Amino acid sequence: MIALLLLAPLLAALLIIVLRRWPAALGLAGSLGALVGAAGLLWQVRHHPVVRFTWPGLPGLPYGLGATPFTALLAVIVAVVALLIFVYARGYMAHERGKVWFWASMSLFVAAMQLLVLSADWLLFVTGWELMGLASFLLIATWHWEEKARQGAVNAFLLTRFTDLGLYLGIVIILLQSGTSLMQAEPGPAIPLVGALALLLAVMGKSAQVPFQSWLAGAMAGPTPVSALLHSATMVAAGVVLLLRAYPLLPPASLPYIGAVGGATIVLTGFTALCSNDIKQLLAASTSSQLGFMLVALAAGFPGAAVSHLVAHAFMKSGLFLSAGLFQHQNESTLFARISGSGRTAPVALAGWALAGLALAGVPPLVGYWSKDAILAAGLGAGNPAWYFGVAAGGALLTALYIGRSLGLLWRGPARPAADAVGLGLMRAGLLGLVGFVVGGGFFLADVLRFVGYALPEAPAAQLTGLTAAALGLGLGWFLRAADVGTPVLRFVQDNYPIGGGFPALVGRPTLALAAACGRFDEYLHRQVLGLGGAVLALAGRGRRADTRLRQAAAGVGPATLALAARTRRADAGLAAAVQGLAGAFRRAGQLSRPVQSGLVHRELLWTVLGVLALVAALFVSLFRWF
Amino acid sequence: MNTFPLLSLTVFLPLLGAALLLLLRPRGRRAAFAIGIGTAALTLLAAGLVWARGVPGGFAQLEELPWIPAIGAAYRLGVDGVSLPLVLLTAVLFLATLIYSANTSEQPASFVALMLLLETACLGAFLALDLLLFYVFFEVTLVGMYFIIAGWGHDNPKQAALTFFIYTLVGSLFLLLAILALYLGAAPHTFDMRALLAHPPLGGTAALLTFGALALAFAIKTPLFPFHTWLPTAHTAAPAAGSAILAGVLLKLGGYGFIRFGLQMTPDAFRQLAPYVLGLAVFSAIYGAFAALGQTDIKRMVAYTSVNHMGYVVFGVAAAALRPAGGPFGLDGAVLQMVSHGIVTGGLFLLIGALQDRTHTRDMGQLGGLAPAYPVLSGLFILASFASLGLPALAHFPAEFQIFLGGYQVAPVATALLLVGLIITTALYLRAIQRVFLGEQPAVLSPLGDLGARELWAIGPLVALIVLIGLYPEFLLGLIHATQRLIMAGHE
């Protein structure tokens, strides 16, 4: 089952690349195969709690694949969300360029995420992690003839790879401490704080936490199904999966750092989402903010709450993206200024947006209500409830505000003509499938989590706070107008707080300047060496010193060879002629390059060739004598 | 069957091919390359047989003939888990480059003969177990590469070949001095490397000086900063096949020398000086990455990444030297890194050659949008680039990860610094991909079209090996690890 789950999308990707035809059909088939495999795996794990097998990787550090009920559930969720997005993408990409590139990368992406989910050792984990980065680079660059897409792809990969160095460092520390690459069922002693912080760096990059959230905004240059996949069950989710995997190894001292990162992200990116004037940018900022909730829940000591929000968010956010893509197809834009009011003429898209959005805001009985309550309850149960609960409640209010505002913007405004694009039916089908989970999932969430071994924290105060925040936020948000562009503060928030010019100015340009300086210095160094060499050669030409050295070397090997040859008494005329022939031919080879390369060096080299050749030939002779 | 001199056959098969060429003097290009490719294929087969015959860990399949008994020099060959992967790499790369350059129209017979001579020299250097024999083969590699650059290069081959010559000659001089010191230090005097490995002859200042000479010689060959400036110059001028061999095989002589000579023959001196070597390796790796990022010529850029990747190799070896008992990973990683770098960079240089045949420029500022124009060429280049920047599941990752593991045990801060090199190589490859391959398709395309059969036969197997080593490094690591354990055990 694991093999089917991993190989189906991988084979689909390979076939698409090799055949260069039927990309969508192959992609869908691979995705369907993965879903069958995942479902089968979940069934398998129901009877045998852990499936695991290993094979040799690095010396003493084996590879391992395996599934627990939790990872099997995660695999199923990834497969379901991916399949529905694939169905949608079949319609979305019907008339777009770059289908082969797109579908191959999508399939590779899903395979990489499944590898990460099912890895039972750290080496395969990092393999899935980085392959996903490669696939996301390719996907964001799908429309690479647009400058924005190229730049977004490079920024995304570069920023996440920088933070991945933390993953490398963290894994090195874990491996050296535990002595094996396999993830242990019984956790050993906690790793040092520096290892935990290194892992946190990797999480911050992949899950787009402050200050690394900006790559998500740039990633919007890719097709919308890509964003839907990246922002829901894969890519950003990988960061949280990493924290869940490493959770038993984390020292208690590291938890406040995780909480601080998550809390700061909730608030800062929540404001970015609230101020956004583009529907996809709103979703990008919202993703960072929602993942911040998961970090806060983990730091509060309630991984179950984080898992529940991870699951719920996968369905909610992919649903939101798919409806945003419908608006985009209708109006050829994602700016609120261009799509406001189009909700009235696109009922399916609006319904999808409203249901998934209300769920995200925490309206019962939708799935997000349960997971957000769990996080608020986790905040109350934390060691420092004032901070954890406060930031979670503030975040819930912000979420409701930006959802309410987006609903108001989509509803009010001029009436826009209804969409008339090909593939609309498939797009709607994918969206409705996801919304179905958003509506119905809440009733099963607690049971499913209990099945995979996680408990959901509950507290009446949390429920009350959540409901108040949702009602208040949605009500106020409805009346917020589209942000008026112009005020510098607003721009600053919209652009993800580019302090000092952001990464391009603070890191990018200095790095390139340093690189250019290194290049220039190297040329200088080279000129110095050439000058030195030239001087030496000139000296040698007059004084014949280089000559002497080379001739000595040649002369040294020459007599030795001759002596040997004399001793063997087998160096008959035929062999000698062969040697002569060889030497002659090489002289001719040398003459060929004489026009280019004349003079001293050349002649000496030729001597060396001859001497060495004679030596090698003599070796040959002695070899023959041996038999 | 076990007495059959398979190693000698492997080493001298290419030379036989060269002799055949020079005796027959085929006029046509096809005949010359048929002989060349046939010989290289047979050599690869022979190397495969050496592997099949089994390499348990220590030196195996020994062959010994008296040569100059008076001074204790003999014709000695043998293979272990450090040399065999490099022998296989050499055989694979020469076959690939000969296939690739089968369209060389200028003096094809001489070109093939020189390449085959070079192959014999490289194989001989890796398999020689006698200092004098090693030195001879080492020198011949210099000569062969000199003529290939000077005779078949472009731009300014004279200057490049000259620089290459000066540098490597200096390196050879120091190597010769070190060899003499080792010879004189041993009692009785001998050039037998196995005896010198089993009982490192020198101690104290003599060992330190000898190690210094060795380190200088191999730092030039590897190359390490500041002895690397010959490398980009030579690559810019060399033909694609020459570049692939230069980066893929000849640089490995430096890394091999650090292991075989520095680590095994002067272990105590290496341990004493290892912190300096580590520091130089880290600086070299980072400097190489930055200098590569500063290039506009895509071939020069890839050339500079060799300085980065080979810095990792020396780092891994130095980590092993510093901690003989505990650190198995550094040395395993260093040997595998040499193989990975040979395959990946060899493939990249061949791809750049194919690119240059089509665009007639290597200036990244003038290129763009090649992915839609030549999808296969671009796809393979992007794959090889991601391998080179160390993506897991591709060849460099298992090697570099082990080097990090080994390094972290002895020098955590230096290892963390070394990681910076990873992000810079990522940046430079992404920048190259973005500028050269992405974007709107150019208006005028080459009549050559996408990669042809000749190019695919040369590059395809290399790409397959990149993936194979990435996914299942055990097939080489098992071999390397057995020898590595012996080396480390002999060390304590």
Side-chain angles (χ1 to χ4, degrees):
Chain A
M1 282 299 145
I2 288 186
L4 176 65
L5 173 48
L6 291 176
L7 290 181
L10 190 63
L11 275 179
L14 288 178
L15 281 177
I16 292 168
I17 291 170
V18 173
L19 300 178
R20 308 189 70 78
R21 47 206 303 203
W22 315 303
L26 283 169
L28 275 167
S31 180
L32 195 62
L35 180 57
V36 171
L41 186 66
L42 191 61
W43 186 255
Q44 237 178 337
V45 172
R46 214 173 68 107
H47 296 293
H48 314 279
V50 178
V51 179
R52 181 182 242 188
F53 52 93
T54 61
W55 70 97
L58 303 178
L61 304 174
Y63 290 142
L65 279 178
T68 62
F70 168 57
T71 56
L73 173 73
L74 216 51
V76 169
I77 289 171
V78 171
V80 168
V81 172
L83 181 63
L84 289 170
I85 291 174
F86 275 37
V87 169
Y88 176 93
R90 173 80 178 77
Y92 182 93
M93 292 296 289
H95 279 300
E96 300 286 354
R97 277 167 72 190
K99 280 202 199 62
V100 168
W101 178 301
F102 171 83
W103 284 101
S105 312
M106 283 292 260
S107 300
L108 175 67
F109 191 93
V110 172
M113 182 65 192
Q114 296 287 19
L115 178 66
L116 179 129
V117 167
L118 297 173
S119 60
D121 77 281
W122 289 107
L123 297 175
L124 282 187
F125 184 88
V126 75
T127 304
W129 179 282
E130 293 267 43
L131 283 182
M132 203 155 45
L134 163 65
S136 69
F137 168 78
L138 295 173
L139 283 173
I140 298 166
T142 302
W143 294 327
H144 57 81
W145 41 90
E146 289 170 12
E147 169 68 24
K148 207 171 56 160
R150 287 202 294 274
Q151 206 55 53
V154 168
N155 285 350
F157 192 79
L158 210 50
L159 205 67
T160 50
R161 188 115 212 278
F162 167 70
T163 58
D164 289 353
L165 302 185
L167 182 64
Y168 282 32
L169 201 60
I171 289 182
V172 163
I173 290 173
I174 292 176
L175 293 197
L176 290 177
Q177 179 172 305
S178 68
T180 175
S181 55
L182 294 175
M183 297 180 186
Q184 304 294 309
E186 298 294 320
I191 55 174
L193 183 61
V194 58
L197 293 182
L199 290 178
L200 177 60
L201 178 68
V203 174
M204 288 159 71
K206 209 72 158 180
S207 293
Q209 300 293 293
V210 171
F212 302 114
Q213 77 276 31
S214 59
W215 72 264
L216 261 189
M220 290 302 146
T224 299
V226 172
S227 314
L229 197 56
L230 242 66
H231 286 241
S232 55
T234 63
M235 193 75 183
V236 294
V240 177
V241 173
L242 169 61
L243 271 186
L244 286 167
R245 288 285 176 92
Y247 191 69
L249 297 172
L250 295 179
S254 65
L255 294 181
Y257 293 95
I258 299 173
V261 168
T265 306
I266 291 177
V267 175
L268 289 175
T269 56
F271 275 114
T272 303
L274 188 58
C275 298
S276 178
N277 55 13
D278 179 306
I279 194 166
K280 282 181 80 176
Q281 294 300 341
L282 177 151
L283 290 179
S286 154
T287 299
S288 296
S289 184
Q290 298 302 318
L291 280 142
F293 280 106
M294 301 175 207
L295 261 66
V296 164
L298 266 168
F302 292 90
V307 171
S308 75
H309 202 51
L310 180 67
V311 172
H313 179 255
F315 292 108
M316 299 186 290
K317 189 51 62 69
S318 47
L320 285 170
F321 265 109
L322 296 196
S323 32
L326 281 168
F327 291 124
Q328 181 189 9
H329 250 74
Q330 182 187 359
N331 303 303
E332 296 295 328
S333 175
T334 53
L335 290 173
F336 276 124
R338 299 272 305 276
I339 64 173
S340 66
S342 59
R344 291 204 302 272
T345 48
V348 177
L350 184 70
W353 180 272
L355 284 170
L358 291 178
L360 197 67
V363 172
L366 304 172
V367 70
Y369 164 72
W370 307 96
S371 65
K372 192 141 287 174
D373 270 0
I375 286 179
L376 287 167
L380 278 177
N384 183 0
W387 161 250
Y388 284 103
F389 180 73
V391 78
L397 182 64
L398 272 172
T399 309
L401 275 171
Y402 63 69
I403 291 296
R405 172 171 166 266
S406 72
L407 282 170
L409 289 175
L410 286 172
W411 184 254
R412 288 170 308 196
R416 315 241 175 211
D420 185 26
V422 180
L424 221 51
L426 283 171
M427 291 166 76
R428 286 175 180 152
L431 172 62
L432 290 178
L434 284 167
V435 170
F437 281 96
V438 171
V439 173
F443 302 105
F444 308 103
L445 192 62
D447 289 335
V448 168
L449 282 185
R450 200 169 308 119
F451 166 67
V452 299
Y454 283 112
L456 272 189
E458 280 180 51
Q463 287 169 356
L464 197 64
T465 315
L467 285 175
T468 315
L472 197 65
L474 287 171
L476 283 176
W478 177 270
F479 297 105
L480 281 176
R481 289 181 306 131
D484 299 319
V485 188
T487 53
V489 177
L490 199 61
R491 263 246 158 281
F492 187 66
V493 176
Q494 278 175 347
D495 291 348
N496 282 309
Y497 313 95
I499 297 164
F503 285 103
L506 290 182
V507 184
R509 257 165 264 152
T511 306
L512 284 179
L514 180 61
C518 279
R520 279 195 302 277
F521 174 73
D522 220 64
E523 275 162 27
Y524 167 78
L525 197 66
H526 185 56
R527 276 197 304 278
Q528 296 304 308
V529 171
L530 274 190
L532 194 70
V536 169
L537 272 186
L539 197 67
R542 279 198 298 278
R544 286 292 190 190
R545 281 192 213 160
D547 239 75
T548 321
R549 189 194 104 60
L550 274 167
R551 198 161 290 159
Q552 273 168 352
V557 285
T561 308
L562 288 179
L564 183 68
R567 263 211 314 281
T568 61
R569 293 175 194 285
R570 292 280 180 92
D572 56 56
L575 267 174
V579 173
Q580 285 296 321
L582 265 173
F586 272 103
R587 196 175 296 124
R588 277 193 298 284
Q591 273 158 3
L592 168 78
S593 50
R594 184 154 289 172
V596 203
Q597 176 65 43
S598 61
L600 185 72
V601 180
H602 180 76
R603 201 165 65 244
E604 298 313 328
L605 270 173
L606 203 62
W607 275 109
T608 319
V609 178
L610 291 180
V612 163
L613 264 179
L615 199 74
V616 173
L619 282 174
F620 237 141
V621 172
S622 53
L623 205 68
F624 277 117
R625 196 192 55 161
W626 196 250
F627 303 109
Chain B
M1 198 50 201
N2 270 344
T3 55
F4 184 76
L6 201 49
L7 294 187
S8 297
L9 185 72
T10 312
V11 170
F12 290 107
L13 251 177
L15 195 67
L16 265 177
L20 195 65
L21 266 173
L22 297 172
L23 292 177
L24 295 180
R25 281 179 222 148
R27 288 261 164 251
R29 179 166 55 87
R30 297 182 73 88
F33 275 96
I35 293 176
I37 292 170
T39 316
L42 282 177
T43 310
L44 178 59
L45 184 68
L49 287 177
V50 171
W51 189 11
R53 211 151 76 167
V55 177
F59 288 109
Q61 309 182 25
L62 297 166
E63 293 170 26
E64 184 160 355
L65 291 175
W67 183 19
I68 316 174
I71 58 168
Y75 172 81
R76 302 181 174 101
L77 295 185
V79 63
D80 72 352
V82 173
S83 54
L84 182 58
L86 297 173
V87 166
L88 294 169
L89 168 73
T90 307
V92 167
L93 269 185
F94 270 95
L95 179 58
T97 48
L98 277 170
I99 294 174
Y100 175 84
S101 42
N103 64 343
T104 306
S105 51
E106 196 181 327
Q107 297 283 335
S110 306
F111 178 80
V112 175
L114 264 175
M115 286 289 279
L116 290 175
L117 170 76
L118 193 56
E119 181 170 12
T120 285
C122 294
L123 291 170
F126 290 131
L127 290 174
L129 284 185
D130 184 277
L131 291 180
L132 212 54
L133 193 62
F134 174 85
Y135 185 74
V136 169
F137 282 126
F138 192 82
E139 286 293 279
V140 180
T141 62
L142 158 65
V143 174
M145 190 39 90
Y146 173 84
F147 280 118
I148 285 181
I149 295 176
W152 287 266
H154 30 69
D155 295 355
N156 191 356
K158 182 184 167 187
Q159 194 203 30
L162 180 69
T163 324
F164 176 70
F165 174 75
I166 296 171
Y167 257 117
T168 326
L169 198 65
V170 172
S172 299
L173 183 66
F174 282 96
L175 178 62
L176 193 61
L177 285 175
I179 285 177
L180 286 177
L182 287 167
Y183 170 73
L184 295 173
H189 297 333
T190 180
F191 287 107
D192 187 352
M193 285 165 67
R194 265 188 308 152
L196 295 166
L197 297 174
H199 305 286
L202 299 170
T205 315
L208 284 178
L209 285 175
T210 307
F211 174 73
L214 286 172
L216 187 64
F218 295 126
I220 290 175
K221 199 83 180 175
T222 304
L224 288 181
F225 178 90
F227 312 110
H228 66 283
T229 63
W230 63 269
L231 183 80
T233 322
H235 273 302
T236 318
S243 278
I245 292 302
L246 181 58
V249 181
L250 293 195
L251 302 190
K252 306 304 170 295
L253 284 170
Y256 177 77
F258 267 106
I259 297 172
R260 192 65 93 212
F261 286 78
L263 186 65
Q264 289 192 273
M265 293 189 199
T266 56
D268 297 326
F270 198 168
R271 188 177 316 163
Q272 252 178 294
L273 296 179
Y276 303 101
V277 180
L278 274 178
L280 188 63
V282 171
F283 184 80
S284 191
I286 295 175
Y287 178 86
F290 270 107
L293 183 60
Q295 303 303 316
T296 52
D297 178 335
I298 189 168
K299 196 171 182 189
R300 271 182 88 85
M301 183 195 86
V302 174
Y304 273 107
T305 64
S306 291
V307 181
N308 167 268
H309 282 131
M310 295 305 286
Y312 291 166
V313 171
V314 177
F315 184 85
V317 179
L322 204 55
R323 187 164 169 182
F329 299 112
L331 193 51
D332 279 349
V335 178
L336 187 62
Q337 170 84 342
M338 288 200 272
V339 178
S340 304
H341 177 256
I343 300 281
V344 173
T345 311
L348 277 173
F349 276 124
L350 295 187
L351 284 164
I352 288 172
L355 189 150
Q356 194 179 2
D357 286 346
R358 286 162 178 78
T359 58
H360 306 291
T361 177
R362 299 187 312 232
D363 184 356
M364 290 191 274
Q366 295 178 33
L367 296 168
L370 297 190
Y374 313 109
V376 178
L377 168 65
S378 309
L380 294 183
F381 191 94
I382 291 173
L383 184 87
S385 301
F386 274 89
S388 187
L389 62 83
L391 197 80
L394 299 174
H396 268 300
F397 175 75
E400 287 174 5
F401 192 75
Q402 288 193 95
I403 291 172
F404 297 145
L405 272 176
Y408 193 84
Q409 286 176 305
V410 292
V413 177
T415 309
L417 280 176
L418 199 62
L419 284 172
V420 175
L422 275 187
I423 185 69
I424 302 299
T425 36
T426 306
L428 69 94
Y429 275 114
L430 287 189
R431 197 153 159 267
I433 290 171
Q434 184 193 0
R435 290 167 85 176
V436 176
F437 295 103
L438 304 186
E440 203 64 71
Q441 181 171 329
V444 185
L445 293 184
S446 160
L448 288 176
D450 211 335
L451 288 188
R454 168 184 61 83
E455 289 153 326
L456 278 176
W457 275 106
I459 299 165
L462 297 182
V463 172
L465 278 173
I466 291 176
V467 177
L468 178 65
I469 295 176
L471 291 178
Y472 189 65
E474 170 68 17
F475 85 98
L476 287 176
L477 276 174
L479 207 67
I480 298 167
H481 192 64
T483 298
Q484 177 269 121
R485 282 169 61 185
L486 285 178
I487 293 177
M488 292 309 224
H491 222 227
E492 281 171 279

